[in-house]
Amino acid sequence: MNNQADRLWERIVDRSSDTEANVKESLHLQPGARDEDFQLIERTLEITLPESLKSFYSVHNGQNGGVGVRSFVRNLTLSPISEIIDNWTFLQEEFDPDDLEMSIDSEIKPVLWNAKWIPIAGNGGGDYLCIDTDPAEAGVVGQVLYFWHDWGYRSVEGKSLFEFIEACLQEDR
C-alpha cells in the first residue's frame, strides 16, 4: 500500500465527519483495484498508468455512482476502472473536435480530446477530470486536467493526482 494514497483517502473520508454521519457510507467506496484491473485499462486505452493513480485506486476502485453518492472532491464522483473504460470509449466515439473553439494551457497538447487522457471522475453532466498521459512539452505525464464537454477550455489543475486532491482538500477547510 502507498502511505500517501492511504492518507489522502483517510482525509477524504474524515474531512466532514464532524458534521455528517456515515460519511464513508455516503461515498459508496469500492474495494481496491487489482493488478488485473490495471492491466485491463492499460491494454484497452493503450497507456501506462501513472504510479500515483495505481496507488490511489489500490485503496478504493472508485465509487459506486447513483443518487445520493457524496462527491469525493469538489463536485466529482470517482469512476471505477470499468466506468473509466466506458467513458473513454464513449468520448473516443462521440467527440467531434471540430465542434468547439479551443483555449488550452501550454502544458496540454492543443487538442480538444486526446485518446491518452484517462477520464477518472465526472460531475454527472458530461464533464470529466482526466489524467494526461500525453502532455505537451511544457507539461508532465500524470498532470490533471478538466475536460468540459461543451466548452473548449482545458486547464491543468495539478501536476499529479495527489497534488490535485491535496488542493481540493485544502479548499474544503
Side-chain angles (χ1 to χ4, degrees):
M1 259 329 139
N2 179 302
N3 287 336
Q4 189 174 7
D6 288 330
R7 282 194 304 274
L8 283 174
W9 274 115
E10 284 175 22
R11 290 178 58 209
I12 288 167
V13 171
D14 291 345
R15 73 183 187 271
S16 57
S17 40
D18 300 342
T19 59
E20 191 176 322
N22 302 320
V23 171
K24 189 164 187 175
E25 290 81 11
S26 69
L27 285 167
H28 296 269
L29 298 172
Q30 300 300 296
R34 303 173 315 241
D35 287 339
E36 309 88 81
D37 299 316
F38 297 132
Q39 291 165 4
L40 175 64
I41 192 172
E42 287 182 328
R43 199 171 49 248
T44 305
L45 276 60
E46 298 178 357
I47 48 96
T48 299
L49 293 172
E51 287 304 313
S52 61
L53 185 69
K54 284 184 177 181
S55 63
F56 194 68
Y57 269 79
S58 292
V59 181
H60 292 291
N61 183 6
Q63 298 173 266
N64 189 8
V67 175
V69 174
R70 179 185 171 85
S71 299
F72 88 106
V73 292
R74 293 189 181 163
N75 66 337
L76 300 166
T77 303
L78 189 67
S79 301
I81 287 176
S82 61
E83 189 176 301
I84 291 172
I85 293 170
D86 290 346
N87 290 335
W88 178 86
T89 302
F90 170 77
L91 289 163
Q92 286 291 99
E93 294 171 352
E94 297 297 320
F95 190 73
D96 183 356
D98 297 328
D99 284 349
L100 301 169
E101 294 294 319
M102 288 191 293
S103 174
I104 296 180
D105 283 358
S106 63
E107 299 93 342
I108 304 169
K109 286 192 174 172
V111 294
L112 289 173
W113 171 249
N114 186 332
K116 302 298 181 187
W117 292 347
I118 308 167
I120 64 163
N123 64 4
D127 304 320
Y128 298 95
L129 185 75
C130 297
I131 303 296
D132 187 355
T133 64
D134 183 33
E137 196 172 312
V140 294
V141 171
Q143 65 192 8
V144 178
L145 60 94
Y146 274 117
F147 169 85
W148 305 101
H149 79 283
D150 59 353
W151 186 32
Y153 183 64
R154 307 286 179 264
S155 61
V156 173
E157 299 293 316
K159 294 197 181 304
S160 71
L161 179 60
F162 290 163
E163 182 183 291
F164 171 78
I165 293 169
E166 185 66 47
C168 292
L169 292 172
Q170 293 297 322
E171 292 168 1
D172 285 349
R173 289 185 174 189

